[in-house]
């Protein structure tokens, strides 16, 4: 275990009052004092086009790549759009997969989905897990955080009010710190 | 069966010399005289953002929606990016799923994937099938067209040279016309 952790976190929804972004912000508040969670915005990432981006990647992509590369872990909070992840989120992963720094490679990743539906976006989670295999990200298996009926779990000021969800998020954050530590540990032979 | 069919077709790759777009153009040439295949471009579709697009959908999306809505069938030719469909293609589907005209609803859809790899983008096809369930599109099951090592199947002028692929595409186009006819047929009781 390290003394301090620096996580970065992406919300798959671009809108301002996104429940997924609210979950991200709730996680920031619930994190223990030694784990900082920094939000990364993906709003400025253009649509990937080989002709335009083969040689020069946009500055927004460079910035995200560096942020993930230098973080102890990445949290992705995603809504479900049409039984999968949003096109915008997939596009960011596609872009980053072209970056020579390989920001996802062996990176500890924690996945959360949230949706007003009774299924909580779980179908999107499993598409995302398959996609993350392609970039050799090390997705954490458990605890799985699938937030159903998310619209009932926040007050009008965007504060998380559901105690069980708070507990899950706290466990998830600590587990992700452990997961990242295991991945970065070196085997010492004395 | 109808006398004439009008299909529309989307390539999931935005680059000019895309093999997937070459496959689309090969299908246009191989189609029998009574089946016209019109290419729809998705290059101008912006990233979906509820805040910007809740009330007014972009003109590019309106155009694509109408084209699909009025076509007998839709062909999607997709590459595989990170074990799934490109973010740009997913984004178009996300956008169209918000259109009140519901352009995918009960629409006959034929899926093709093409890739220089030995797997031909088949993982992307199965993500796409799941996504199309969400919009109630009627994806054709067979024949499945998975074009492996696509880079070896075209000449330097972008002409399809592989005879087996030509045969597959011809069968696929005729089968899609049948599929669309079955879906639009009304049961007559005399």
């Amino acid at each position: 275990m390290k003394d301090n952790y620096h996580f970065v976190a992406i919300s798959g929804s671009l809108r301002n009052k996104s429940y997924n972004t609210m979950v991200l912000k709730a996680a920031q508040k619930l994190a223990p004092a030694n784990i900082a969670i920094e939000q990364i915005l993906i709003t400025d990432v253009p649509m990937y086009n080989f002709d335009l981006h083969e040689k020069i990647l946009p500055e927004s992509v460079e910035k995200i790549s560096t942020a993930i590369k230098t973080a102890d872990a990445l949290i992705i909070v995603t809504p479900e759009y049409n039984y999968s992840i949003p096109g915008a989120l997939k596009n960011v992963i596609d872009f980053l997969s072209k970056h020579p720094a390989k920001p996802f490679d062996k990176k500890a990743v924690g996945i959360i989905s949230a949706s007003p539906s009774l299924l909580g976006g779980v179908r999107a989670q499993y598409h995302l897990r398959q996609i993350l295999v392609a970039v050799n990200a090390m997705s954490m298996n458990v605890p799985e955080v699938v937030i159903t009926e998310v619209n009932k779990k926040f007050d009008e000021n965007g504060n998380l009010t559901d105690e069980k969800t708070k507990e899950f998020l706290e466990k998830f954050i600590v587990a992700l710190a452990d997961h990242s530590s295991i991945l970065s540990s070196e085997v010492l032979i004395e």
Side-chain angles (χ1 to χ4, degrees), chain A:
Chain A
M1 295 289 290
K2 291 171 62 177
D3 289 339
N4 292 292
Y5 292 86
H6 179 237
F7 292 178
V8 290
I10 290 173
S11 168
S13 170
L14 303 187
R15 74 184 180 106
N16 274 326
K17 293 191 174 174
S18 150
Y19 285 112
N20 281 271
T21 307
M22 286 183 203
V23 170
L24 190 158
K25 289 183 187 304
Q28 288 179 315
K29 286 181 202 162
L30 290 165
N34 67 328
I35 302 177
I37 303 176
E38 177 199 353
Q39 186 181 0
I40 308 177
L41 296 176
I42 61 169
T43 326
D44 292 338
V45 176
M47 208 68 81
Y48 179 74
N49 179 331
F50 179 85
D51 293 335
L52 306 175
H53 307 121
E54 183 193 4
K55 286 174 188 162
I56 301 167
L57 291 168
E59 208 180 315
S60 53
V61 174
E62 290 290 351
K63 224 170 130 183
I64 297 171
S65 174
T66 305
I68 295 175
K69 189 82 187 171
T70 55
D72 292 306
L74 165 66
I75 296 174
I76 300 176
V77 194
T78 186
E80 182 176 299
Y81 288 2
N82 300 310
Y83 297 0
S84 187
I85 63 170
L89 176 59
K90 178 59 166 53
N91 179 66
V92 171
I93 298 172
D94 291 344
F95 244 128
L96 291 168
S97 74
K98 299 289 178 185
H99 198 290
K102 299 191 177 184
F104 288 115
D105 191 52
K106 301 187 192 74
K107 182 64 59 183
V109 178
I111 297 167
I112 298 171
S113 66
S115 157
S117 86
L118 288 166
L119 300 179
V122 74
R123 286 171 293 218
Q125 285 213 12
Y126 279 85
H127 270 202
L128 183 54
R129 281 182 188 273
Q130 177 165 319
I131 292 160
L132 289 172
V133 170
V135 290
N136 199 33
M138 299 297 173
S139 303
M140 180 169 68
N141 294 326
V142 285
E144 294 194 291
V145 183
V146 182
I147 306 175
T148 62
E149 297 185 294
V150 67
N151 51 321
K152 298 181 183 168
K153 290 171 179 166
F154 284 87
D155 67 18
E156 62 274 22
N157 300 315
N159 296 308
L160 181 60
T161 53
D162 186 70
E163 289 305 321
K164 213 169 165 183
T165 307
K166 282 186 192 176
E167 262 177 55
F168 264 118
L169 284 176
E170 282 169 349
K171 275 185 199 166
F172 171 88
I173 293 162
V174 173
L176 188 58
D178 281 353
H179 183 63
S180 78
S181 287
I182 291 164
L183 292 173
S184 63
S185 68
E186 289 174 37
V187 178
L188 296 172
I189 300 169
E190 302 211 16

